[in-house]
Amino acid sequence: MSQNSPLFRKKSVDQILKDAHSGSGGELAKVLGVRDLVSLGIAAIVGAGIFSTIGLASYNGGPAVSLLFVFTAVACVFTALSYAQFASTVPVSGSAYTYAYVAFGELFAWIIGWALILEYAVSNMVVAISWSEYFVSMLKGFGIELPGWLTINGESAREAFMKLQSSGAAELSDYERFAASAYASAPTLGDLHILLNLPAGLITLLITALVYIGIRESRTASNIMVVLKVGVVLLVILAGAFYVKPENWSPFAPNGVKGVLSGVAAVFFAFIGFDSISTTAEECRNPQQDMPKAMIYCLVICTILYVLITLVLTGMVNYTELKVSDPLAFVFQKNGLDFMAGVISVSSVIAITSALLVYQLGQPRIWMTMSRDGLLWKRFAKIHPKYQTPSFATIVTGLVVGIPALFFKMDFFVDLTSVGTFFAFILVCGGVLYLDHKGISARSKFRVPYINGKFLVGGLFCLAIIGLLTYGKDVIVEWRMLSFAEIMEHKLLTIIFWITWCTLSILSYQHNFSALPVAGILTNLYLMTELGASNWLIFVIWLAIGLVIYFSYGYRQSKLAKK
């Protein structure tokens, strides 16, 4: 399809800046500095991941999962540098959506915006449900027990009750016994059992109200919660270091590379928070200087915290015992430190609250930017005259997150969140190559450090092929045993990875591409290959729904179309 097609109409940087400051909906309050941005990034990154999913990742990968955090952080550094360049070039809300509009055109911008809606909404649901579990556990510690039917979704309770009927109580886990009991004791409306996760719905309502009334209030709340939870994480590292047994670190990678990489989704879910920093660009006092600094600072700080806490966790107990939802509290209980476990349970509620706050800030600002461009209903761009926040978009975000969190279980969607994030990250890295190629980077206040990839990208590709043929005989044998249908189902992304690397090698030779954005594309694409095929199927269905909306509304209502 021709680049002159209306589907690929682009917005210039000047046009985006003009639209942002002359919109009829009003302007956002500019109150954020570097410290506030770093705080928001840490709030999102050191959230549900460090207090819950880190346990499962450690169980699968053993102590070597600490290296997975380093590898994922390296992938994120390449991406963060690309985000930082875009943020200094196009300092408006909208994150990867806005950047794609400049680099690739309207259709890609819509796809990324639609993917980000999924990423933020599903992240919020998962975080809200995780918060509910910790909150209910904390209340039990104080002797307060909520009725079971008010703290669980109907699907989980019904499945547990049916299992109880078919297999008996002896076959049920403790959680399944609780769920079956909640189902049996729930009030009924005819044949319908009334079950809902009330804490998850209420925390979403409260956070939405806070985000609605202002960025200043949200900033203050975030800063306070971040200080508390970073203090607790440091306390865990320092106190736990005295109980580390080096023999627990052996074997270091018990399940090999495959076991370590199986935690990619859980680990990467923790790192997507720095994307949310870019959604607050219009509320920064000096976005072109502050946002690049904040992204790098928070990524470095969070990586160090994650690596240290993973080493402490796997050193305090054997990795095989870490398949629990509250690993930090568990390891201290296991070592007889119940007081520390109690402190962690309380602090985890605070930590996850701050993560939910940042995600709820990001979602409405993406909708606002898409609406400003005419791709969504214009009410999404409405700014509250008193609170200076995207009021309508914030309310809709609260409903979109709160209602599913009340009634559904969202465990599966952690992987689905990562699919949308990887997709956005790859386009942002590719967008920097476009900025460089077109000379737009000359106006960037921050630029990705230039390393000429003319021979480097292709040279590494050749070395990788030689290494695979020399040391990857088991991999080659595995591929030969697969049918064509199995390769298409399970290995298609791996094929795309190698084709992309080959293509980028040729383009880097022709155009002297910068090596760091290319490295960002390849590392994110490689990590994508570790996600399940079922997640991609749902993601494709979600994109198909989005394209229907785009062609039935956004394509015609786009401001570029009207011009």
Side-chain angles (χ1 to χ4, degrees):
M1 192 174 287
S2 169
Q3 286 292 309
N4 295 322
S5 165
L7 293 176
F8 297 104
R9 50 198 174 206
K10 297 182 177 75
K11 294 188 77 171
S12 68
V13 174
D14 292 329
Q15 192 175 358
I16 285 178
L17 295 175
K18 181 182 176 183
D19 290 348
H21 299 301
S22 63
S24 58
E27 289 197 21
L28 302 172
K30 296 184 179 295
V31 298
L32 301 177
V34 174
R35 187 178 63 183
D36 303 315
L37 292 169
V38 172
S39 176
L40 289 171
I42 293 173
I45 295 173
V46 185
I50 208 163
F51 285 93
S52 56
T53 56
I54 195 172
L56 182 60
S58 300
Y59 171 79
N60 289 326
V65 81
S66 56
L67 299 181
L68 179 58
F69 278 106
V70 175
F71 179 58
T72 307
V74 169
C76 286
V77 164
F78 298 140
T79 310
L81 290 169
S82 299
Y83 263 91
Q85 177 165 332
F86 263 113
S88 73
T89 312
V90 195
V92 300
S93 297
S95 182
Y97 159 77
T98 301
Y99 309 154
Y101 222 143
V102 173
F104 301 109
E106 187 170 282
L107 180 62
F108 277 103
W110 170 266
I111 290 171
I112 281 298
W114 192 246
L116 287 173
I117 288 173
L118 178 70
E119 172 196 326
Y120 277 94
V122 173
S123 295
N124 290 358
M125 294 170 200
V126 172
V127 172
I129 293 167
S130 178
W131 182 93
S132 174
E133 291 174 0
Y134 273 96
F135 181 70
V136 170
S137 176
M138 183 189 74
L139 289 182
K140 284 181 182 176
F142 289 109
I144 303 169
E145 195 152 347
L146 297 176
W149 60 275
L150 284 177
T151 64
I152 192 169
N153 66 82
E155 186 180 353
S156 295
R158 185 169 53 255
E159 287 174 355
F161 185 77
M162 298 302 290
K163 186 175 179 180
L164 174 66
Q165 301 301 307
S166 61
S167 305
E171 297 295 318
L172 271 61
S173 66
D174 290 343
Y175 178 78
E176 287 172 328
R177 289 193 190 96
F178 159 75
S181 173
Y183 186 84
S185 63
T188 56
L189 191 64
D191 293 332
L192 179 67
H193 288 248
I194 299 172
L195 297 118
L196 66 160
N197 195 336
L198 187 60
L202 287 178
I203 190 60
T204 305
L205 175 64
L206 291 172
I207 291 295
T208 302
L210 177 60
V211 171
Y212 183 89
I213 63 173
I215 189 68
R216 290 182 182 86
E217 293 77 7
S218 301
R219 173 193 65 182
T220 303
S222 173
N223 288 345
I224 292 169
M225 288 187 283
V226 164
V227 169
L228 286 171
K229 75 175 173 183
V230 170
V232 169
V233 169
L234 291 174
L235 178 64
V236 168
I237 292 168
L238 294 173
F242 292 100
Y243 294 88
V244 167
K245 298 170 186 170
E247 58 266 26
N248 284 331
W249 289 333
S250 181
F252 191 66
N255 299 316
V257 174
K258 193 167 186 179
V260 174
L261 289 176
S262 69
V264 162
V267 170
F268 203 83
F269 176 69
F271 272 112
I272 65 175
F274 80 82
D275 172 270
S276 59
I277 298 176
S278 62
T279 66
T280 62
E282 286 179 49
E283 287 145 299
C284 297
R285 289 191 291 267
N286 189 355
Q288 292 179 311
Q289 290 185 11
D290 292 351
M291 297 202 79
K293 292 178 185 176
M295 288 180 180
I296 303 303
Y297 290 165
C298 81
L299 203 54
V300 170
I301 291 168
C302 293
T303 301
I304 292 170
L305 290 176
Y306 268 119
V307 170
L308 289 176
I309 208 158
T310 308
L311 290 173
V312 168
L313 281 178
T314 53
M316 289 178 71
V317 302
N318 190 277
Y319 74 95
T320 57
E321 299 182 67
L322 285 171
K323 194 177 183 180
V324 293
S325 61
D326 54 347
L328 270 64
F330 169 78
V331 294
F332 282 96
Q333 284 175 335
K334 186 79 175 175
N335 283 274
L337 300 169
D338 290 335
F339 171 75
M340 276 292 294
V343 170
I344 291 166
S345 292
V346 174
S347 64
S348 61
V349 172
I350 297 169
I352 298 174
T353 304
S354 65
L356 186 60
L357 170 64
V358 177
Y359 289 135
Q360 286 293 91
L361 271 173
Q363 174 79 88
R365 282 150 182 78
I366 292 171
W367 279 347
M368 175 195 73
T369 311
M370 295 175 75
S371 171
R372 190 188 280 159
D373 293 331
L375 302 186
L376 286 177
W377 189 27
K378 63 175 66 175
R379 285 203 65 181
F380 282 102
K382 178 71 175 173
I383 305 298
H384 196 285
K386 178 181 177 182
Y387 301 126
Q388 292 182 281
T389 57
S391 49
F392 179 76
T394 300
I395 292 170
V396 173
T397 297
L399 294 173
V400 166
V401 173
I403 292 173
L406 273 172
F407 299 108
F408 301 117
K409 68 174 186 178
M410 293 290 166
D411 301 350
F412 169 78
F413 292 110
V414 172
D415 283 4
L416 189 57
T417 301
S418 296
V419 173
T421 308
F422 282 130
F423 195 61
F425 283 8
I426 287 169
L427 279 193
V428 170
C429 292
V432 168
L433 297 177
Y434 172 83
L435 295 185
D436 290 345
H437 181 62
K438 292 295 184 181
I440 302 172
S441 293
R443 63 188 297 169
S444 303
K445 297 287 180 71
F446 173 88
R447 294 185 66 174
V448 176
Y450 180 76
I451 299 172
N452 194 335
K454 185 178 184 73
F455 299 107
L456 186 60
V457 178
L460 290 174
F461 175 73
C462 293
L463 284 176
I465 294 292
I466 293 169
L468 183 64
L469 294 174
T470 306
Y471 302 105
K473 291 184 172 58
D474 291 344
V475 176
I476 295 171
V477 169
E478 180 192 348
W479 275 68
R480 284 177 175 168
M481 292 175 66
L482 296 174
S483 67
F484 178 77
E486 288 172 328
I487 289 175
M488 288 294 100
E489 182 179 355
H490 300 294
K491 301 294 185 181
L492 181 60
L493 268 180
T494 304
I495 295 170
I496 292 172
F497 169 78
W498 287 104
I499 292 172
T500 302
W501 196 347
C502 180
T503 305
L504 286 172
S505 299
I506 297 167
L507 293 175
S508 296
Y509 180 80
Q510 292 175 336
H511 302 293
N512 295 321
F513 277 171
S514 175
L516 294 184
V518 171
I521 293 170
L522 293 176
T523 48
N524 283 304
L525 189 55
Y526 177 75
L527 289 170
M528 284 172 87
T529 64
E530 298 299 322
L531 300 178
S534 58
N535 300 305
W536 279 100
L537 178 61
I538 293 178
F539 183 68
V540 168
I541 293 170
W542 174 257
L543 286 186
I545 294 169
L547 289 174
V548 170
I549 295 172
Y550 171 70
F551 284 111
S552 60
Y553 180 85
Y555 180 76
R556 293 194 303 272
Q557 297 298 322
S558 165
K559 288 188 176 179
L560 289 187
K562 292 182 177 179
K563 286 180 181 178

